[in-house]
Amino acid sequence: MEINMTPQVINARMIADILNSKTNLEVDIWEELDVLEVELSNESIVDFEPMDTNFKDSSDAAFVKNREIKTIFAVTIDDGALKETKAIMKLIIQDLGGFLCADSVDFNPIYDENNIDSNDDLLS
C-alpha cells in the first residue's frame, strides 16, 4: 500500500473526474464511502480509500502538519501495475497537487510530479 497526500481537500469524485477526462480506464466510485477503484489496461486494480489525517504517532502527525496535508488516500496497487499506476498518479498529482509516498515509518520514498517518472522502486 502507498499513500497519496495533498494539501487540498479532495475526494474520490475529483480523482475519478480527472481519470475519466484524461484516460480510457474503467473507474468505479462509491461516493458514499469516498472510495475509488481503477481498472488498468492490464486488468490490474488500483484502489483509493480515504484515511484519517489525525495520526496518533507524534512524528506522523508532525509530518502531516508540517506539509499542511488536508486529504490522505491509501492507494493499493496490484503487483505488475507499477508503470501504469505511476502514470495515473502523475495525472492526479499534476491536477490536485500533493505527492505519493510509501506506507513506511518515515513515508519515504516520496514521489511528486517532478520525480514520479524516474523512480522504479515505488512498491519496494
Side-chain angles (χ1 to χ4, degrees), residues 71-87:
T71 305
I72 302 174
F73 277 93
V75 182
T76 306
I77 304 168
D78 281 352
D79 290 340
L82 176 60
K83 186 175 182 180
E84 195 168 0
T85 299
K86 285 169 60 173

Side-chain angles (χ1 to χ4, degrees), residues 54-121:
N54 297 314
F55 287 102
K56 297 198 185 325
D57 179 83
S58 60
S59 64
D60 293 349
F63 182 92
V64 169
K65 182 180 179 186
N66 292 339
R67 287 161 181 78
E68 300 178 351
I69 300 302
K70 293 187 177 65
T71 305
I72 302 174
F73 277 93
V75 182
T76 306
I77 304 168
D78 281 352
D79 290 340
L82 176 60
K83 186 175 182 180
E84 195 168 0
T85 299
K86 285 169 60 173
I88 68 165
M89 290 306 304
K90 186 170 183 177
L91 291 174
I92 294 165
I93 292 168
Q94 285 174 328
D95 276 26
L96 299 174
F99 53 90
L100 184 70
C101 58
D103 184 14
S104 64
V105 174
D106 62 359
F107 298 107
N108 280 302
I110 297 173
Y111 305 97
D112 60 21
E113 73 176 298
N114 297 316
N115 71 354
I116 198 165
D117 290 330
S118 63
N119 294 289
D120 292 328
D121 59 348

Side-chain angles (χ1 to χ4, degrees), residues 42-55:
N42 67 358
E43 298 183 1
S44 293
I45 300 295
V46 178
D47 291 317
F48 293 80
E49 296 182 38
M51 291 179 63
D52 188 355
T53 58
N54 297 314
F55 287 102

